[in-house]
Amino acid sequence: VSLKHLRSLFESRDWWRLLPDVRNVLAVDGRGAFATNNYAVTAVADDGSFAIAYLPTRRTLTLDLAKLSGETVKAWWFNPRDGQSTAIGGFPNTGKREFTPPDLGDQLDWVLVLDNAAKNHPPPGTQ
């Protein structure tokens, strides 16, 4: 993981608005064991305009999209190894949805970025 890429990711969003999802309000299943190297960490902006989930290993993460603002949530995979973003698509912000990283490698980390589509955020990692 390059810190340069992670910095670009956080600078592409209002990172100072992020609050840890410690009560599992957004992430409802698939986080892994707490206090291990295999725990998926999630955070949500205080206004619900975006969320970020770091997945240290491949797994399916179930998120409650209703916890985000706006009618449509735009989802992205961000590769912290090379700084590339891939749009997953737009989803109604109702109910739970599963997300699984695109790469089959068990030891490859990924970042899932969820945006209120109406905010027109740039691709994660770009300005």
Side-chain angles (χ1 to χ4, degrees):
V1 174
S2 171
L3 293 180
K4 172 179 80 171
H5 300 311
L6 289 177
R7 178 179 176 165
S8 294
L9 166 64
F10 283 100
E11 287 179 345
S12 69
R13 301 294 182 274
D14 293 340
W15 59 266
W16 58 90
R17 300 193 81 135
L18 287 171
L19 300 171
D21 184 28
V22 294
R23 294 196 175 132
N24 299 334
V25 172
L26 175 68
V28 294
D29 195 27
R31 291 180 79 158
F34 183 71
T36 68
N37 290 342
N38 193 29
Y39 184 68
V41 179
T42 56
V44 183
D46 59 3
D47 64 353
S49 63
F50 72 100
I52 294 178
Y54 174 75
L55 288 72
T57 57
R58 183 175 166 78
R59 88 251 339 269
T60 297
L61 187 63
T62 304
L63 302 175
D64 186 354
L65 298 185
K67 303 305 177 188
L68 299 172
S69 65
E71 294 179 16
T72 304
V73 173
K74 186 166 185 180
W76 307 83
W77 282 114
F78 178 80
N79 184 336
R81 296 172 304 286
D82 64 11
Q84 298 297 308
S85 295
T86 303
I88 302 170
F91 307 98
N93 77 337
T94 57
K96 298 172 182 137
R97 178 167 288 276
E98 293 182 343
F99 294 92
T100 305
D103 197 303
L104 297 178
D106 286 339
Q107 299 302 314
L108 299 178
D109 57 345
W110 286 92
V111 179
L112 177 65
V113 179
L114 303 172
D115 292 323
N116 173 343
K119 298 287 184 181
N120 293 315
H121 289 292
T126 64
Q127 301 278 332

